[in-house]
Amino acid sequence: MHAFSIFKLSALTAFITLTTVACTTTSSQNTAKTAQKTVAVHAVTAEGVGEKIGSIQLQDSSKGLEISTDLQQLPSGFHGFHIHEKGSCEPAEKDGKMGAALAAGGHFNPTQAAGHGTPNDGHLGDLPVLNVDTDGSAKTTVYAPRLKLADVQGLAIMIHAGGDNYSDQPKPLGGGGERIACGVI
């Protein structure tokens, strides 16, 4: 074999090897999936867990935990929206009175942050407010920049009756009040 033919064969072999590696790398990058979970959300009252009112999709993203809602039958307006520390939507007793989804505990706060705040600076479970349309539906996507799905597995996601001002003033925990819908992640 001539030296020129050996050079062409070596060059062709190197090209095929590099192309195979590049295609394999691109293929594995395109098929890599991020962690995700769909959570059933139910109406809750002091009597218990009620009917399913929709679902929430949680997925890791470059912006943090992506939370996409597909909910119905909620009162229109702004609602407090949080991750709670326990994975239960059952009622529980507080101050001698049964309350909706109180078994979920308080806001997820493993770092013991001093107070309620925004998704950037308060409890890790503090989420952006949920805006419900006039028809009672909420189909939106919000982000929790400091969370990953692995952080919240087995916890509860909660919707409150009132809005959230991201402060403990004038009412504690943003003023969201009663819990009206819940799902276990």
Side-chain angles (χ1 to χ4, degrees), residues 52-87:
K52 181 179 175 186
I53 61 165
S55 63
I56 297 175
Q57 177 87 22
L58 298 110
Q59 180 172 337
D60 290 334
S61 80
S62 61
K63 296 178 183 178
L65 184 61
E66 179 180 293
I67 303 165
S68 300
T69 65
D70 185 3
L71 303 167
Q72 302 80 36
Q73 302 174 15
L74 289 166
S76 65
F78 294 105
H79 296 272
F81 192 36
H82 309 103
I83 304 290
H84 282 247
E85 63 188 345
K86 297 177 184 168

Side-chain angles (χ1 to χ4, degrees), residues 106-165:
H107 293 179
F108 178 55
N109 188 19
T111 62
Q112 302 302 310
H116 179 64
T118 73
N120 295 314
D121 63 10
H123 305 141
L124 283 178
D126 293 339
L127 303 176
V129 294
L130 182 66
N131 188 10
V132 177
D133 293 334
T134 56
D135 67 356
S137 68
K139 295 182 187 208
T140 189
T141 298
V142 299
Y143 294 89
R146 300 180 295 156
L147 291 175
K148 289 184 171 49
L149 182 56
D151 300 330
V152 299
Q153 287 281 11
L155 306 182
I157 189 161
M158 193 74 62
I159 301 167
H160 293 265
D164 187 340
N165 69 359

Side-chain angles (χ1 to χ4, degrees), residues 1-11:
M1 213 181 233
H2 295 289
F4 183 73
S5 296
I6 294 172
F7 173 76
K8 283 175 44 177
L9 183 59
S10 296

